Amino acid sequence: GVVILNGEVPGLVSQRLAGVMAWWVPGVRDVVNGLAPVPPEEDAPIRIEEAVRIVLDRDPYVEDSQIRIGVRGCAVRPTGATRSAAERDMADADAWCVLGVDDVINEIEPAT
């Protein structure tokens, strides 16, 4: 149930996306993301925001067109709307899976 990722990827967003995709595999309990961005990049909140946005876009169970992402430090704040509470929870879980995210303050409103 533990996935260990090693090697090189073309940037921080690729590193983060690979980690999230590993988390999406059924039965995975932990992901050790040892991928190295080449060339090295300095991390910043905008890079976390970009990764969360791409992950939400790639999740087939989340319609992300009404979701906005804010990042302060390593805290992600998704806002907007989803079609259901389950979809809201999936977006929350996706944000938590992104390497570098320390907190998710989910303010997405599910449809009633």
Side-chain angles (χ1 to χ4, degrees):
V2 177
V3 175
I4 300 172
L5 302 173
N6 289 313
E8 297 178 348
V9 291
L12 283 169
V13 171
S14 295
Q15 177 193 32
R16 289 179 166 126
L17 180 59
V20 172
M21 294 181 91
W23 274 112
W24 286 351
V25 175
V28 170
R29 294 176 305 143
D30 193 13
V31 174
V32 179
N33 193 336
L35 295 171
V38 175
E41 294 180 61
E42 188 170 328
D43 206 358
I46 190 72
R47 297 204 194 283
I48 293 174
E49 179 182 340
E50 182 181 8
V52 172
R53 170 65 39 218
I54 290 170
V55 167
L56 292 176
D57 183 59
R58 298 252 175 127
D59 188 333
Y61 301 107
V62 175
E63 168 53 55
D64 67 322
S65 64
Q66 299 297 314
I67 298 174
R68 291 172 302 286
I69 302 298
V71 178
R72 178 171 286 174
C74 295
V76 174
R77 183 183 305 265
T79 60
T82 57
R83 296 172 292 191
S84 68
E87 189 173 351
R88 174 192 190 273
D89 294 345
M90 283 185 265
D92 184 82
D94 285 347
W96 273 111
C97 288
V98 173
L99 181 68
V101 172
D102 291 337
D103 193 16
V104 176
I105 304 144
N106 192 340
E107 295 182 352
I108 296 171
E109 293 294 327
T112 54

XYZ file of all heavy atoms in Angstrom:
840
model
N 0.780 -1.206 0.000
C 0.000 0.000 0.000
C 0.820 1.267 0.000
O 0.273 2.349 -0.010
N 2.169 1.147 0.033
C 3.021 2.334 0.038
C 3.649 2.489 -1.346
O 4.241 1.556 -1.875
C 4.129 2.240 1.107
C 5.043 3.451 1.048
C 3.512 2.100 2.495
N 3.511 3.671 -1.931
C 4.096 3.967 -3.234
C 5.300 4.874 -3.015
O 5.192 5.890 -2.323
C 3.079 4.672 -4.165
C 3.729 5.087 -5.468
C 1.885 3.769 -4.414
N 6.432 4.489 -3.590
C 7.642 5.299 -3.502
C 7.983 5.776 -4.903
O 8.177 4.963 -5.811
C 8.810 4.496 -2.896
C 8.438 4.031 -1.483
C 10.086 5.340 -2.888
C 9.418 3.070 -0.862
N 8.025 7.083 -5.083
C 8.344 7.681 -6.374
C 9.763 8.224 -6.336
O 10.098 9.000 -5.440
C 7.363 8.815 -6.692
C 5.880 8.437 -6.726
C 5.025 9.685 -6.879
C 5.605 7.453 -7.842
N 10.581 7.823 -7.283
C 11.944 8.320 -7.401
C 12.218 8.663 -8.854
O 11.583 8.117 -9.751
C 12.962 7.276 -6.927
C 12.922 7.084 -5.431
O 12.920 8.051 -4.676
N 12.880 5.840 -4.999
N 13.165 9.543 -9.071
C 13.546 9.919 -10.424
C 13.485 11.430 -10.591
O 13.449 12.183 -9.612
N 13.475 11.857 -11.841
C 13.455 13.284 -12.156
C 12.209 13.617 -12.962
O 11.746 12.798 -13.761
C 14.702 13.661 -12.953
C 15.989 13.464 -12.187
C 17.222 13.789 -13.003
O 17.122 13.953 -14.243
O 18.307 13.873 -12.405
N 11.685 14.792 -12.736
C 10.529 15.312 -13.480
C 10.837 16.740 -13.899
O 11.717 17.395 -13.322
C 9.235 15.254 -12.640
C 8.775 13.829 -12.414
C 9.409 15.952 -11.303
N 10.116 17.271 -14.898
C 10.458 18.592 -15.429
C 10.017 19.798 -14.590
O 10.113 20.917 -15.055
C 9.783 18.605 -16.806
C 8.688 17.623 -16.705
C 9.133 16.588 -15.712
N 9.536 19.610 -13.374
C 9.165 20.757 -12.547
C 8.369 20.346 -11.322
O 7.958 19.186 -11.182
N 8.138 21.330 -10.435
C 7.393 21.079 -9.204
C 5.959 20.634 -9.471
O 5.435 19.770 -8.770
C 7.378 22.338 -8.332
C 8.659 22.640 -7.559
C 8.600 24.045 -6.965
C 8.869 21.615 -6.473
N 5.325 21.222 -10.474
C 3.943 20.841 -10.766
C 3.887 19.381 -11.195
O 3.013 18.623 -10.757
C 3.325 21.771 -11.827
C 1.975 21.258 -12.286
C 3.169 23.186 -11.261
N 4.834 18.940 -12.004
C 4.882 17.531 -12.424
C 5.124 16.624 -11.228
O 4.530 15.545 -11.125
C 5.985 17.327 -13.456
O 5.696 18.040 -14.634
N 5.991 17.037 -10.321
C 6.260 16.267 -9.112
C 4.966 16.109 -8.306
O 4.626 15.017 -7.855
C 7.331 16.959 -8.268
C 7.619 16.277 -6.955
C 8.444 17.133 -6.006
O 8.336 18.361 -6.011
N 9.274 16.499 -5.202
N 4.263 17.203 -8.131
C 3.032 17.175 -7.334
C 1.935 16.369 -8.023
O 1.218 15.604 -7.377
C 2.575 18.601 -7.052
C 3.483 19.288 -6.060
C 3.067 20.721 -5.790
N 3.747 21.192 -4.612
C 4.480 22.293 -4.560
N 4.606 23.066 -5.635
N 5.072 22.641 -3.446
N 1.787 16.524 -9.328
C 0.770 15.781 -10.064
C 1.037 14.282 -9.994
O 0.115 13.490 -9.770
C 0.713 16.255 -11.518
C -0.320 15.564 -12.394
C -1.728 15.740 -11.836
C -0.238 16.093 -13.823
N 2.279 13.863 -10.140
C 2.620 12.435 -10.047
C 2.253 11.886 -8.673
O 1.726 10.774 -8.556
C 4.107 12.233 -10.328
N 2.522 12.663 -7.625
C 2.174 12.225 -6.275
C 0.684 12.051 -6.089
O 0.226 11.052 -5.513
N -0.098 12.989 -6.580
C -1.558 12.893 -6.451
C -2.083 11.700 -7.237
O -2.928 10.943 -6.753
C -2.244 14.196 -6.912
C -3.755 14.019 -6.974
C -1.888 15.340 -5.980
N -1.566 11.498 -8.438
C -2.027 10.360 -9.243
C -1.700 9.035 -8.551
O -2.476 8.078 -8.644
C -1.444 10.438 -10.646
C -2.001 11.647 -11.400
S -1.383 11.780 -13.059
C -2.654 10.853 -13.899
N -0.594 8.990 -7.824
C -0.282 7.791 -7.037
C -1.309 7.608 -5.920
O -1.749 6.485 -5.651
C 1.131 7.883 -6.469
N -1.713 8.706 -5.276
C -2.725 8.622 -4.217
C -4.057 8.107 -4.754
O -4.835 7.483 -4.027
C -2.952 9.985 -3.558
C -2.016 10.288 -2.447
C -1.041 11.242 -2.428
C -1.963 9.667 -1.159
N -0.389 11.234 -1.216
C -0.934 10.280 -0.422
C -2.687 8.626 -0.570
C -0.614 9.892 0.871
C -2.366 8.249 0.722
C -1.340 8.881 1.431
N -4.359 8.391 -6.013
C -5.634 7.977 -6.600
C -5.733 6.474 -6.841
O -6.816 5.962 -7.086
C -5.865 8.709 -7.921
C -6.241 10.149 -7.788
C -6.563 10.832 -6.649
C -6.318 11.107 -8.845
N -6.835 12.139 -6.928
C -6.701 12.342 -8.271
C -6.097 11.045 -10.210
C -6.875 13.488 -9.022
C -6.273 12.196 -10.965
C -6.663 13.402 -10.376
N -4.625 5.745 -6.789
C -4.647 4.300 -7.037
C -5.323 3.609 -5.846
O -4.929 3.824 -4.696
C -3.216 3.760 -7.255
C -3.234 2.244 -7.379
C -2.584 4.409 -8.486
N -6.331 2.786 -6.111
C -7.013 2.096 -5.017
C -6.034 1.269 -4.183
O -5.143 0.603 -4.711
C -8.015 1.187 -5.740
C -8.252 1.861 -7.056
C -6.931 2.489 -7.421
N -6.205 1.344 -2.869
C -5.381 0.570 -1.948
C -4.143 1.288 -1.449
O -3.462 0.794 -0.550
N -3.841 2.446 -2.002
C -2.650 3.183 -1.574
C -2.924 3.801 -0.202
O -3.943 4.457 0.003
C -2.248 4.264 -2.608
C -1.179 5.184 -2.044
C -1.768 3.599 -3.877
N -1.975 3.588 0.723
C -2.091 4.131 2.074
C -1.118 5.271 2.319
O -1.310 6.076 3.216
C -1.841 3.043 3.113
C -2.906 1.966 3.115
C -2.562 0.871 4.087
N -1.229 0.377 3.733
C -0.314 -0.009 4.617
N -0.563 0.006 5.877
N 0.869 -0.431 4.215
N -0.030 5.308 1.528
C 0.958 6.371 1.700
C 1.742 6.523 0.400
O 1.941 5.562 -0.334
C 1.924 6.022 2.844
C 2.759 7.205 3.283
O 2.447 8.356 2.898
O 3.741 6.986 4.008
N 2.168 7.755 0.135
C 2.997 8.051 -1.024
C 4.236 8.780 -0.532
O 4.137 9.800 0.154
C 2.250 8.925 -2.062
C 3.182 9.338 -3.189
C 1.037 8.187 -2.607
N 5.392 8.236 -0.870
C 6.666 8.876 -0.566
C 7.160 9.463 -1.885
O 7.579 8.735 -2.782
C 7.680 7.873 0.013
C 9.008 8.563 0.297
C 7.123 7.208 1.265
N 7.045 10.782 -1.998
C 7.364 11.442 -3.261
C 8.809 11.923 -3.236
O 9.120 12.992 -2.740
C 6.402 12.600 -3.523
C 6.480 13.100 -4.938
O 7.490 12.943 -5.615
N 5.407 13.720 -5.391
N 9.698 11.094 -3.796
C 11.106 11.438 -3.878
C 11.507 11.944 -5.240
O 12.703 11.992 -5.563
N 10.524 12.320 -6.060
C 10.832 12.853 -7.382
C 11.543 14.197 -7.248
O 11.205 14.993 -6.379
C 9.558 13.013 -8.213
C 8.837 11.717 -8.561
C 7.488 12.008 -9.179
C 9.692 10.881 -9.497
N 12.490 14.442 -8.124
C 13.270 15.681 -8.080
C 12.989 16.517 -9.321
O 13.176 16.036 -10.443
C 14.758 15.363 -7.996
N 12.522 17.759 -9.135
C 12.327 18.641 -10.291
C 13.690 19.037 -10.876
O 14.580 19.461 -10.148
C 11.614 19.858 -9.714
C 11.214 19.493 -8.336
C 12.061 18.354 -7.905
N 13.825 18.876 -12.200
C 15.072 19.237 -12.876
C 14.723 20.152 -14.051
O 13.932 19.758 -14.901
C 15.818 17.974 -13.359
C 17.043 18.344 -14.166
C 16.185 17.089 -12.188
N 15.256 21.360 -14.092
C 16.150 21.946 -13.102
C 15.374 22.289 -11.829
O 14.159 22.458 -11.856
C 16.661 23.218 -13.791
C 15.582 23.590 -14.748
C 14.964 22.286 -15.200
N 16.091 22.415 -10.706
C 15.422 22.741 -9.438
C 14.659 24.059 -9.540
O 15.089 24.980 -10.232
C 16.577 22.865 -8.448
C 17.712 22.133 -9.068
C 17.533 22.261 -10.551
N 13.518 24.112 -8.868
C 12.697 25.322 -8.843
C 12.501 25.772 -7.406
O 12.383 24.939 -6.509
C 11.311 25.056 -9.427
C 11.268 24.714 -10.878
C 9.834 24.476 -11.339
O 9.025 25.401 -11.245
O 9.552 23.354 -11.769
N 12.425 27.072 -7.207
C 12.083 27.593 -5.893
C 10.570 27.482 -5.722
O 9.804 27.848 -6.621
C 12.527 29.047 -5.763
C 12.369 29.574 -4.353
C 13.026 30.925 -4.172
O 14.034 31.194 -4.827
O 12.492 31.698 -3.354
N 10.148 26.945 -4.587
C 8.723 26.773 -4.348
C 8.090 28.099 -3.936
O 8.753 28.985 -3.394
C 8.498 25.722 -3.264
C 7.149 25.048 -3.387
O 6.367 25.411 -4.285
O 6.869 24.148 -2.587
N 6.801 28.225 -4.209
C 6.042 29.426 -3.864
C 4.559 29.060 -3.848
O 4.161 28.067 -4.458
C 6.306 30.524 -4.891
N 3.736 29.850 -3.155
C 2.296 29.570 -3.133
C 1.672 29.463 -4.532
O 0.785 28.635 -4.747
C 1.723 30.749 -2.341
C 2.831 31.143 -1.427
C 4.083 30.947 -2.240
N 2.150 30.244 -5.486
C 1.584 30.187 -6.834
C 1.817 28.820 -7.471
O 1.000 28.332 -8.245
C 2.142 31.334 -7.726
C 1.371 31.407 -9.040
C 3.610 31.160 -7.986
C -0.018 31.935 -8.916
N 2.915 28.154 -7.115
C 3.186 26.816 -7.654
C 2.232 25.782 -7.031
O 1.801 24.848 -7.696
C 4.637 26.429 -7.432
C 5.597 27.339 -8.169
C 6.913 26.664 -8.425
N 7.955 27.592 -8.825
C 8.076 28.117 -10.027
N 7.205 27.848 -10.951
N 9.076 28.935 -10.310
N 1.925 25.954 -5.754
C 0.937 25.073 -5.114
C -0.432 25.302 -5.744
O -1.145 24.354 -6.065
C 0.907 25.304 -3.586
C 2.220 24.843 -2.954
C -0.288 24.573 -2.955
C 2.356 25.160 -1.478
N -0.791 26.558 -5.944
C -2.083 26.883 -6.571
C -2.181 26.239 -7.959
O -3.207 25.640 -8.309
C -2.245 28.390 -6.685
C -3.539 28.809 -7.345
C -3.658 30.315 -7.491
O -2.960 31.058 -6.784
O -4.467 30.738 -8.334
N -1.130 26.356 -8.745
C -1.127 25.774 -10.087
C -1.307 24.254 -10.019
O -2.074 23.683 -10.796
C 0.183 26.130 -10.795
C 0.284 25.611 -12.206
C 1.604 25.961 -12.868
O 2.523 26.486 -12.204
O 1.717 25.690 -14.064
N -0.633 23.614 -9.094
C -0.744 22.159 -8.963
C -2.150 21.748 -8.550
O -2.723 20.805 -9.119
C 0.282 21.637 -7.962
N -2.744 22.443 -7.579
C -4.106 22.113 -7.143
C -5.079 22.308 -8.297
O -5.954 21.465 -8.536
C -4.517 22.938 -5.906
C -6.000 22.736 -5.582
C -3.654 22.570 -4.707
N -4.928 23.383 -9.039
C -5.806 23.656 -10.184
C -5.709 22.525 -11.209
O -6.725 22.039 -11.707
C -5.416 25.004 -10.809
C -6.043 25.338 -12.106
C -7.533 25.550 -12.149
N -8.105 26.243 -11.051
C -9.289 25.928 -10.516
N -10.012 24.948 -10.997
N -9.779 26.598 -9.506
N -4.501 22.075 -11.529
C -4.317 20.996 -12.505
C -4.907 19.688 -11.990
O -5.563 18.951 -12.732
C -2.826 20.843 -12.867
C -2.383 22.051 -13.700
C -2.564 19.540 -13.613
C -0.892 22.142 -13.924
N -4.697 19.402 -10.706
C -5.235 18.169 -10.121
C -6.761 18.169 -10.195
O -7.375 17.169 -10.594
C -4.745 17.995 -8.666
C -5.531 16.922 -7.939
C -3.252 17.676 -8.660
N -7.391 19.280 -9.838
C -8.856 19.354 -9.907
C -9.339 19.197 -11.347
O -10.361 18.559 -11.609
C -9.362 20.665 -9.312
C -9.183 20.823 -7.806
C -9.644 22.206 -7.363
C -9.917 19.733 -7.043
N -8.601 19.767 -12.280
C -8.961 19.665 -13.691
C -8.857 18.215 -14.177
O -9.646 17.781 -15.009
C -8.053 20.573 -14.526
C -8.435 20.565 -15.982
O -9.594 20.914 -16.294
O -7.574 20.216 -16.821
N -7.906 17.464 -13.657
C -7.684 16.073 -14.093
C -8.592 15.069 -13.389
O -8.718 13.942 -13.856
C -6.234 15.673 -13.843
C -5.254 16.497 -14.609
C -4.648 15.725 -15.722
N -3.791 16.575 -16.531
C -2.549 16.303 -16.813
N -2.001 15.207 -16.362
N -1.855 17.113 -17.574
N -9.197 15.465 -12.276
C -10.056 14.531 -11.546
C -11.381 14.377 -12.302
O -12.148 15.328 -12.412
C -10.316 15.039 -10.127
C -11.038 14.025 -9.270
O -11.779 13.169 -9.815
O -10.873 14.074 -8.040
N -11.662 13.169 -12.796
C -12.891 12.988 -13.582
C -14.170 13.106 -12.761
O -15.254 13.232 -13.332
C -12.739 11.573 -14.159
C -11.817 10.874 -13.230
C -10.889 11.926 -12.687
N -14.055 13.105 -11.437
C -15.233 13.173 -10.579
C -15.517 14.580 -10.054
O -16.463 14.773 -9.290
C -15.083 12.203 -9.405
C -14.900 10.786 -9.870
C -13.667 10.166 -9.782
C -15.955 10.078 -10.433
C -13.481 8.863 -10.228
C -15.785 8.780 -10.888
C -14.552 8.183 -10.782
O -14.371 6.903 -11.233
N -14.686 15.543 -10.452
C -14.854 16.914 -9.974
C -15.025 17.845 -11.166
O -14.178 17.898 -12.046
C -13.639 17.365 -9.126
C -13.770 18.833 -8.740
C -13.494 16.499 -7.888
N -16.142 18.559 -11.179
C -16.353 19.606 -12.176
C -15.812 20.889 -11.544
O -16.405 21.442 -10.629
C -17.843 19.738 -12.502
C -18.212 20.971 -13.290
C -17.391 21.145 -14.561
O -17.358 20.216 -15.377
O -16.769 22.228 -14.712
N -14.650 21.321 -12.019
C -13.931 22.393 -11.332
C -14.166 23.785 -11.905
O -13.550 24.747 -11.449
C -12.433 22.094 -11.327
C -11.827 22.137 -12.717
O -12.489 21.687 -13.670
O -10.698 22.628 -12.843
N -15.077 23.926 -12.846
C -15.248 25.232 -13.493
C -15.752 26.319 -12.542
O -15.533 27.499 -12.790
C -16.181 25.113 -14.701
O -17.476 24.732 -14.292
N -16.391 25.933 -11.445
C -16.916 26.900 -10.483
C -16.086 26.956 -9.202
O -16.512 27.544 -8.210
C -18.372 26.566 -10.144
C -19.306 26.603 -11.321
C -19.397 27.994 -11.921
O -19.549 28.984 -11.210
N -19.282 28.087 -13.235
N -14.899 26.336 -9.229
C -14.043 26.313 -8.041
C -12.875 27.265 -8.232
O -12.199 27.237 -9.254
C -13.509 24.880 -7.763
C -14.680 23.930 -7.489
C -12.544 24.892 -6.579
C -14.261 22.471 -7.343
N -12.659 28.110 -7.250
C -11.509 29.016 -7.240
C -10.548 28.551 -6.146
O -10.981 28.035 -5.116
C -11.974 30.452 -6.980
C -12.777 31.012 -8.153
C -13.412 32.350 -7.861
N -14.322 32.383 -6.716
C -15.550 31.862 -6.686
N -16.029 31.237 -7.734
N -16.304 31.962 -5.618
N -9.259 28.766 -6.383
C -8.233 28.308 -5.442
C -7.432 29.509 -4.960
O -6.925 30.287 -5.764
C -7.270 27.300 -6.108
C -8.024 26.092 -6.649
C -6.165 26.880 -5.135
C -8.735 25.285 -5.598
N -7.327 29.641 -3.658
C -6.455 30.637 -3.052
C -5.424 29.919 -2.197
O -5.722 28.879 -1.604
N -4.216 30.437 -2.171
C -3.157 29.827 -1.366
C -2.433 30.920 -0.601
O -2.048 31.946 -1.173
C -2.150 29.044 -2.246
C -1.029 28.469 -1.390
C -2.844 27.952 -3.030
N -2.254 30.690 0.675
C -1.426 31.558 1.512
C -0.452 30.657 2.247
O -0.869 29.801 3.017
C -2.267 32.345 2.497
C -1.383 33.209 3.402
C -2.161 34.143 4.242
N -2.642 35.216 3.371
C -3.460 36.166 3.748
N -3.899 36.172 4.983
N -3.852 37.097 2.921
N 0.829 30.858 1.943
C 1.834 29.959 2.502
C 1.615 28.567 1.941
O 1.677 28.362 0.741
N 1.318 27.637 2.825
C 1.045 26.253 2.407
C -0.403 25.858 2.683
O -0.743 24.674 2.697
C 1.998 25.299 3.123
S 3.722 25.538 2.661
N -1.262 26.858 2.920
C -2.684 26.617 3.170
C -3.480 26.917 1.910
O -3.326 27.971 1.301
C -3.181 27.480 4.321
N -4.330 25.970 1.530
C -5.154 26.088 0.327
C -6.582 26.390 0.751
O -7.113 25.748 1.657
C -5.103 24.784 -0.498
C -6.061 24.835 -1.667
C -3.683 24.522 -0.972
N -7.201 27.364 0.072
C -8.590 27.720 0.360
C -9.405 27.628 -0.929
O -9.451 28.568 -1.711
C -8.688 29.123 0.934
C -10.117 29.511 1.331
C -10.204 30.953 1.834
N -9.319 31.229 2.915
C -9.642 31.180 4.216
N -10.870 30.868 4.572
N -8.751 31.452 5.140
N -10.052 26.463 -1.161
C -10.942 26.378 -2.314
C -12.293 27.028 -1.985
O -12.827 26.848 -0.885
C -11.089 24.877 -2.556
C -10.664 24.211 -1.298
C -9.869 25.185 -0.497
N -12.817 27.784 -2.926
C -14.128 28.422 -2.778
C -14.910 28.179 -4.063
O -14.369 27.737 -5.061
C -13.995 29.936 -2.531
O -13.309 30.533 -3.642
C -13.246 30.239 -1.248
N -16.187 28.501 -4.034
C -17.024 28.340 -5.217
C -18.116 27.331 -4.951
O -18.628 27.243 -3.833
N -18.454 26.559 -5.989
C -19.586 25.648 -5.884
C -19.297 24.336 -6.599
O -18.537 24.288 -7.561
C -20.832 26.288 -6.487
N -19.927 23.267 -6.083
C -19.895 21.959 -6.729
C -21.327 21.462 -6.852
O -22.246 22.019 -6.260
C -19.075 20.927 -5.930
O -19.616 20.821 -4.614
C -17.609 21.317 -5.869
N -21.489 20.376 -7.599
C -22.823 19.814 -7.833
C -23.353 19.030 -6.642
O -24.563 18.800 -6.541
C -22.788 18.911 -9.061
C -22.448 19.668 -10.348
C -22.226 18.729 -11.489
N -20.992 17.970 -11.218
C -20.388 17.210 -12.102
N -20.887 17.062 -13.302
N -19.274 16.565 -11.789
N -22.443 18.602 -5.732
C -22.881 17.778 -4.602
C -21.875 17.869 -3.464
O -20.738 18.314 -3.655
C -23.018 16.320 -5.029
O -21.739 15.782 -5.324
N -22.306 17.412 -2.292
C -21.400 17.357 -1.142
C -20.283 16.350 -1.391
O -19.136 16.575 -0.989
C -22.177 16.990 0.121
N -20.577 15.255 -2.076
C -19.547 14.260 -2.383
C -18.473 14.866 -3.287
O -17.275 14.622 -3.078
C -20.174 13.041 -3.041
N -18.880 15.655 -4.250
C -17.916 16.304 -5.145
C -17.077 17.325 -4.377
O -15.871 17.440 -4.591
C -18.656 16.978 -6.298
C -17.751 17.478 -7.382
C -18.520 17.992 -8.578
O -19.755 17.819 -8.665
O -17.863 18.587 -9.449
N -17.705 18.039 -3.450
C -16.978 18.979 -2.588
C -15.909 18.236 -1.795
O -14.762 18.672 -1.698
C -17.949 19.659 -1.634
C -17.304 20.542 -0.596
C -18.338 20.927 0.482
N -17.829 21.941 1.367
C -17.110 21.697 2.459
N -16.801 20.464 2.791
N -16.691 22.688 3.219
N -16.269 17.077 -1.232
C -15.327 16.278 -0.453
C -14.185 15.746 -1.315
O -13.044 15.658 -0.858
C -16.054 15.125 0.242
C -17.031 15.613 1.313
O -16.950 16.799 1.724
O -17.895 14.805 1.718
N -14.471 15.379 -2.567
C -13.423 14.904 -3.472
C -12.433 16.020 -3.784
O -11.218 15.796 -3.824
C -14.031 14.346 -4.752
C -14.623 12.969 -4.584
S -15.211 12.280 -6.126
C -16.924 12.748 -6.027
N -12.939 17.235 -3.999
C -12.054 18.371 -4.255
C -11.176 18.635 -3.032
O -9.982 18.937 -3.156
C -12.870 19.615 -4.618
N -11.744 18.500 -1.845
C -10.999 18.672 -0.600
C -9.878 17.631 -0.510
O -8.727 17.964 -0.219
C -11.955 18.533 0.582
C -11.296 18.802 1.913
O -11.167 19.976 2.278
O -10.912 17.814 2.592
N -10.214 16.379 -0.771
C -9.219 15.296 -0.713
C -8.119 15.511 -1.746
O -6.940 15.275 -1.468
C -9.901 13.947 -0.921
N -8.492 15.976 -2.942
C -7.491 16.246 -3.981
C -6.491 17.297 -3.510
O -5.285 17.149 -3.701
C -8.162 16.732 -5.269
C -8.838 15.616 -6.045
O -8.603 14.429 -5.748
O -9.610 15.943 -6.972
N -6.982 18.352 -2.894
C -6.086 19.419 -2.417
C -5.138 18.875 -1.346
O -3.948 19.192 -1.341
C -6.891 20.593 -1.884
N -5.653 18.046 -0.437
C -4.808 17.472 0.617
C -3.715 16.590 0.053
O -2.643 16.446 0.658
C -5.651 16.664 1.608
C -6.220 17.468 2.709
C -7.538 17.767 2.906
C -5.510 18.092 3.783
N -7.676 18.538 4.034
C -6.452 18.753 4.594
C -4.168 18.166 4.134
C -6.098 19.467 5.732
C -3.817 18.879 5.277
C -4.775 19.511 6.060
N -3.935 15.968 -1.105
C -2.945 15.054 -1.698
C -1.773 15.777 -2.353
O -0.775 15.144 -2.689
C -3.623 14.166 -2.742
S -4.696 12.905 -2.036
N -1.863 17.075 -2.534
C -0.804 17.823 -3.213
C 0.369 18.041 -2.261
O 0.201 18.577 -1.159
C -1.342 19.168 -3.756
C -0.215 20.026 -4.304
C -2.393 18.925 -4.827
N 1.550 17.617 -2.696
C 2.765 17.786 -1.911
C 2.977 19.260 -1.581
O 2.883 20.118 -2.452
C 3.966 17.258 -2.710
C 5.326 17.329 -2.029
C 5.369 16.370 -0.847
C 6.422 16.985 -3.023
N 3.216 19.552 -0.301
C 3.452 20.923 0.131
C 2.246 21.579 0.782
O 2.367 22.634 1.391
N 1.079 20.962 0.666
C -0.136 21.506 1.288
C -0.175 21.065 2.745
O -0.142 19.878 3.050
C -1.403 21.048 0.535
C -2.658 21.452 1.294
C -1.420 21.617 -0.874
N -0.237 22.049 3.649
C -0.280 21.762 5.088
C -1.671 21.935 5.685
O -1.941 21.467 6.784
C 0.688 22.677 5.844
C 2.141 22.356 5.542
O 2.437 21.225 5.123
O 2.978 23.262 5.712
N -2.554 22.645 4.966
C -3.897 22.891 5.482
C -4.827 23.150 4.305
O -4.422 23.746 3.302
C -3.892 24.106 6.424
C -5.161 24.230 7.237
O -5.937 23.247 7.318
O -5.398 25.314 7.805
N -6.077 22.681 4.427
C -7.101 22.960 3.437
C -8.293 23.548 4.169
O -8.828 22.927 5.088
C -7.517 21.704 2.644
C -8.657 22.023 1.680
C -6.322 21.117 1.901
N -8.665 24.750 3.805
C -9.825 25.437 4.386
C -10.891 25.436 3.303
O -10.939 26.318 2.460
C -9.452 26.861 4.824
C -8.284 26.801 5.794
C -10.638 27.578 5.439
C -7.317 27.924 5.673
N -11.722 24.407 3.324
C -12.661 24.184 2.233
C -13.916 25.034 2.423
O -14.706 24.799 3.325
C -13.026 22.693 2.168
C -13.757 22.346 0.900
O -14.327 23.196 0.231
N -13.733 21.079 0.548
N -14.076 26.015 1.547
C -15.247 26.879 1.571
C -16.112 26.696 0.339
O -16.858 27.592 -0.060
C -14.803 28.337 1.721
C -14.119 28.597 3.044
C -13.701 30.039 3.235
O -13.803 30.849 2.281
O -13.261 30.358 4.355
N -16.017 25.514 -0.286
C -16.848 25.205 -1.439
C -18.269 24.921 -0.955
O -18.468 24.200 0.024
C -16.299 23.967 -2.193
C -14.903 24.263 -2.757
C -17.246 23.555 -3.306
C -14.206 23.044 -3.329
N -19.239 25.468 -1.667
C -20.648 25.253 -1.332
C -21.220 24.188 -2.260
O -21.231 24.373 -3.478
C -21.438 26.557 -1.506
C -21.061 27.644 -0.530
C -21.411 27.306 0.910
O -22.431 26.619 1.125
O -20.670 27.727 1.805
N -21.687 23.064 -1.703
C -22.320 22.061 -2.552
C -23.741 22.487 -2.917
O -24.399 23.197 -2.162
C -22.328 20.814 -1.672
C -22.324 21.326 -0.280
C -21.579 22.632 -0.317
N -24.191 22.049 -4.085
C -25.578 22.316 -4.494
C -26.520 21.578 -3.543
O -26.175 20.534 -2.999
C -25.804 21.853 -5.919
N -27.667 22.127 -3.357
C -28.624 21.479 -2.442
C -29.680 20.739 -3.209
O -29.886 20.876 -4.341
C -29.314 22.528 -1.547
O -29.882 23.535 -2.367
C -28.324 23.107 -0.586
